[in-house]
Amino acid sequence: MFERFRPDEVAPGLKDLNLEKLQKKRLKGIICDIDNTLLPWDHDVPDQETREWIEQAKNLGIQVVLLSNALPRRANSLSEQLDIPARAQAVKPRRKGFKKALEEMGLEPGEVAVVGDQIFTDVWGGNRMGMYTILVSPLAEKEFFSTKILRCLEIKVKKKLGLSG
Ligand SMILES: [Mg+2]
């Protein structure tokens, strides 16, 4: 029952993902979480390295769409700053938001990677869609209370999957 939570790949952070390697896996799109994946939840402006990573994806022809469970204001601001589409209030792990992102990119689930810091929203959601899932370590220690509760469960699931280190 824990296999549904298993990511295809684990990485320290978004910027550690080798885009050319993803391209070799025939991945043409990335659905990227915002909070604690793209930037810490209490930051509003992505750092230079993150901007360069997004630019590199664009140059390689890899589409990036932001998909967040948070409110639209933040997603819209980042969408403008990075000049990529963003969807807020996605209710991950539900499929609807992922499907909308796919439509936006004009890609099939097998051509898309999901990158996020949470097993129960990003990884589970991506796995349900049959997408390539990548779990990254969360960027900020301080988090919302609801996220903290999920983190405790996450640690247990990670142990079951042999992912804790
Ligand atoms: Mg997140």
Side-chain angles (χ1 to χ4, degrees):
M1 76 156 281
F2 286 100
E3 283 308 308
R4 71 187 75 177
F5 301 126
R6 186 187 293 282
D8 292 296
E9 194 177 317
V10 179
L14 185 71
K15 292 169 283 191
D16 300 295
L17 295 180
N18 185 323
L19 287 160
E20 278 160 7
K21 238 169 100 184
L22 293 183
Q23 205 176 34
K24 283 198 187 114
K25 290 185 195 288
R26 299 180 187 279
L27 295 166
K28 297 173 183 164
I30 296 171
I31 294 177
C32 182
D33 173 49
I34 293 179
D35 286 310
N36 279 343
T37 299
L38 186 79
L39 75 180
W41 70 269
D42 52 354
H43 285 50
D44 294 319
V45 180
D47 64 19
Q48 188 57 33
E49 256 189 290
T50 304
R51 287 172 183 276
E52 281 166 13
W53 189 87
I54 298 279
E55 278 314 304
Q56 199 201 345
K58 285 182 195 170
N59 292 337
L60 288 170
I62 298 175
Q63 301 182 63
V64 183
V65 173
L66 302 178
L67 190 68
S68 171
N69 281 355
L71 297 173
R73 191 190 61 82
R74 189 163 158 75
N76 292 342
S77 157
L78 287 162
S79 169
E80 265 180 41
Q81 291 182 65
L82 298 167
D83 194 26
I84 52 175
R87 306 201 139 267
Q89 293 172 303
V91 207
K92 295 178 279 184
R94 286 182 65 182
R95 293 183 180 88
K96 197 176 167 189
F98 290 100
K99 282 183 184 163
K100 293 264 183 202
L102 271 189
E103 269 172 36
E104 197 136 28
M105 294 190 279
L107 296 175
E108 297 296 321
E111 299 174 308
V112 175
V114 177
V115 185
D117 68 304
Q118 288 197 64
I119 282 186
F120 301 123
T121 54
D122 307 307
V123 173
W124 188 19
N127 284 347
R128 293 179 81 194
M129 290 293 296
M131 293 170 174
Y132 187 80
T133 48
I134 304 169
L135 179 69
V136 294
S137 304
L139 286 172
E141 293 293 325
K142 275 189 294 173
E143 287 180 309
F144 298 110
F145 183 66
S146 58
T147 309
K148 272 189 188 158
I149 294 168
L150 282 177
R151 289 285 178 214
C152 294
L153 291 170
E154 238 175 33
I155 288 166
K156 286 181 186 164
V157 173
K158 278 186 185 174
K159 271 190 187 150
K160 290 268 182 202
L161 294 172
L163 294 173
S164 50

